[in-house]
Amino acid sequence: MTLPARTLALFISDLHLQAAHARTVDAFFAFLEERAMAARALYILGDLFEYWAGDDDLDAPLHRKIAAAIRAVRDAGIPVYWIAGNRDFLVGQAFADTAGMELLAEPHIADIGGQRIALVHGDAECTDDIKYMEFRKQVRQPAWQAQFLAMPLAQRKAIIANLREGSKEAHSTKTMEIMDVTPQAIDALFAATGADVLIHGHTHRPALHEKDGKRRYVLPDWEPDGEPPRGGWIAIGEDGTITRHDLDGKVIG
């Protein structure tokens, strides 16, 4: 089954785009050309990039191509919205202007297809991961970001590379439950937003969770080279129906 003829909104996250993963980059460009161009809005819910060291890295050839591809969607009259992930929270207004995106704070509330939908990346709801939450609080502070972005780009990239290695080691000792969202955080988010639906990424555990009449949709990460290949998106049709799609566009359960 393919996407509805008219799609109100598409949602993606966790593509972790990088030059070393050319198939994922190609899959993203194909998604924009074949899917996003047929939608009325596109929401990118974080971790589009493997990492983002600052908007002065926009001159990298791949980053220019990505920005231009997103801009083409916006120039076709389709608004593109962005929520920061844990890998690319340093994306700023310069990149947003180049790509034609609107930066959103989280949680963002969207009324789509007669439903009140809360949108987040998902990392802020992993409250059992105490060390990560402390790190997140630090790096999301404007003063920390200003100090970091004042460093030379090469130095920032080196620091990020070290942080990524440390993150891999830390993940190897953490349980999947610790790295997942907590029920308490999800309940609190529903209560605070009054939403009927929550859509997020981050955990790389795509699913639909239903509780007390509320629905939580988790987006997949993208890895076309994986075994089996991973990736996909969420769509809201003209009638308000929410569907989950794999990389080929087929509806999944």
Side-chain angles (χ1 to χ4, degrees):
M1 180 176 178
T2 58
L3 284 172
R6 302 181 69 182
T7 303
L8 295 180
L10 293 173
F11 304 84
I12 58 173
S13 73
D14 299 278
L15 280 73
H16 297 273
L17 297 178
Q18 54 186 303
H21 289 189
R23 288 192 180 182
T24 305
V25 174
D26 290 343
F28 174 60
F29 289 158
F31 167 80
L32 293 180
E33 294 174 1
E34 300 168 9
R35 310 293 181 175
M37 286 295 190
R40 295 185 182 177
L42 171 63
Y43 291 82
I44 302 172
L45 303 187
D47 284 5
L48 178 67
F49 297 101
E50 174 65 6
Y51 72 91
W52 189 257
D55 283 2
D56 52 340
D57 201 17
L58 185 54
D59 289 333
L62 176 60
H63 296 165
R64 281 287 177 190
K65 287 182 64 177
I66 291 169
I70 297 172
R71 183 78 199 199
V73 175
R74 181 64 186 87
D75 288 347
I78 300 150
V80 181
Y81 303 102
W82 169 280
I83 285 179
N86 57 295
R87 299 294 189 98
D88 49 20
F89 58 87
L90 289 174
V91 162
Q93 197 59 53
F95 180 83
D97 289 344
T98 301
M101 305 186 308
E102 180 178 345
L103 303 180
L104 303 177
E106 61 175 347
H108 177 76
I109 306 301
D111 293 310
I112 306 173
Q115 299 165 98
R116 184 173 175 85
I117 302 173
L119 304 174
V120 296
H121 175 59
D123 61 321
E125 287 66 46
C126 298
T127 53
D128 279 348
D129 193 343
I130 303 300
K131 289 186 177 180
Y132 171 72
M133 295 303 291
E134 292 173 349
F135 172 78
R136 186 184 191 278
K137 182 179 180 180
Q138 177 189 34
V139 300
R140 295 302 180 102
Q141 293 175 0
W144 184 94
Q145 293 185 9
Q147 183 179 23
F148 183 75
L149 291 172
M151 298 177 184
L153 179 60
Q155 182 179 358
R156 276 178 268 145
K157 288 186 173 183
I159 292 172
I160 290 171
N162 287 334
L163 289 172
R164 289 166 66 199
E165 285 302 314
S167 177
K168 290 178 182 178
E169 292 180 10
H171 283 182
S172 67
T173 64
K174 294 177 181 179
T175 65
M176 290 301 295
E177 287 73 23
I178 286 178
M179 293 188 290
D180 202 354
V181 298
T182 63
Q184 298 90 337
I186 297 302
D187 291 345
L189 186 56
F190 272 119
T193 60
D196 306 306
V197 175
L198 169 62
I199 300 176
H200 71 84
H202 179 66
T203 64
H204 300 190
R205 302 176 75 176
L208 166 59
H209 303 272
E210 299 185 76
K211 177 185 175 183
D212 299 330
K214 307 289 188 180
R215 287 171 289 155
R216 176 169 68 93
Y217 292 85
V218 186
L219 286 157
D221 65 315
W222 285 42
E223 184 48 87
D225 290 310
E227 188 56 49
R230 303 191 306 276
W233 58 87
I234 286 172
I236 301 181
E238 190 173 33
D239 61 355
T241 299
I242 302 177
T243 48
R244 300 164 56 220
H245 298 256
D246 66 14
L247 278 174
D248 294 325
K250 297 178 181 179
V251 175
I252 59 178

